[in-house]
């Protein structure tokens, strides 16, 4: 897949969970790293750490000194960014506006 936004542009904030949820169409668990790299480039996120297990990827990413978790669960098809600190929720709000403003 070329562009994660082209696959499914939906993105929404979950205020209660402090997450930014992406509805990406990931057909294969092995495809996620490529899509995640594109997502990180699009949002200017720096990857600091990558881990994965049987059906889940979890990457620690940074945006202007705020640490966020980029998560993907294959079986549920869920992809989301979450903040480590509640005060960083504003960063997720900004990233949502950035994602939605790009063609």
């Amino acid at each position: 897949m070329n562009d994660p936004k082209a696959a499914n542009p939906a993105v929404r904030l979950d205020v209660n969970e402090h997450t930014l949820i992406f509805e990406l169409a990931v057909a294969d668990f092995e495809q996620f790293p490529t899509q995640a790299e594109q997502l990180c480039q699009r949002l200017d996120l720096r990857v600091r750490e990558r881990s994965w297990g049987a059906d889940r990827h979890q990457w620690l990413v940074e945006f202007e000194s705020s640490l966020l978790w980029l998560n993907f669960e294959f079986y549920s098809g869920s992809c989301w960014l979450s903040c480590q600190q509640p005060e960083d929720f504003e960063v997720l709000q900004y990233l949502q506006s950035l994602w939605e403003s790009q063609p």
Side-chain angles (χ1 to χ4, degrees):
M1 298 196 170
N2 297 333
D3 176 7
K5 187 172 180 184
N8 189 344
V11 61
R12 65 183 168 85
L13 279 170
D14 184 326
V15 177
N16 295 325
E17 297 294 324
H18 295 99
T19 59
L20 179 61
I21 302 164
F22 298 89
E23 294 183 17
L24 302 178
V26 180
D28 183 302
F29 182 77
E30 302 301 321
Q31 287 180 333
F32 180 74
T34 301
Q35 286 187 308
E37 287 288 348
Q38 293 170 352
L39 187 146
C40 289
Q41 285 180 326
R42 181 178 208 100
L43 295 177
D44 201 25
L45 302 173
R46 190 176 125 226
V47 178
R48 298 197 43 189
E49 177 183 313
R50 299 169 200 215
S51 60
W52 59 91
D55 70 338
R56 183 173 177 158
H57 285 273
Q58 185 175 45
W59 293 13
L60 181 62
V61 297
E62 181 180 354
F63 180 81
E64 296 183 359
S65 77
S66 292
L67 295 176
L68 308 168
W69 288 104
L70 175 60
N71 297 279
F72 172 71
E73 290 181 350
F74 178 68
Y75 292 114
S76 67
S78 302
C79 179
W80 70 96
L81 274 172
S82 59
C83 48
Q84 288 194 306
Q85 305 297 324
E87 60 270 13
D88 287 336
F89 186 68
E90 291 177 355
V91 172
L92 296 180
Q93 292 172 314
Y94 173 76
L95 291 174
Q96 179 187 24
S97 67
L98 179 61
W99 178 271
E100 292 174 340
S101 71
Q102 296 179 2

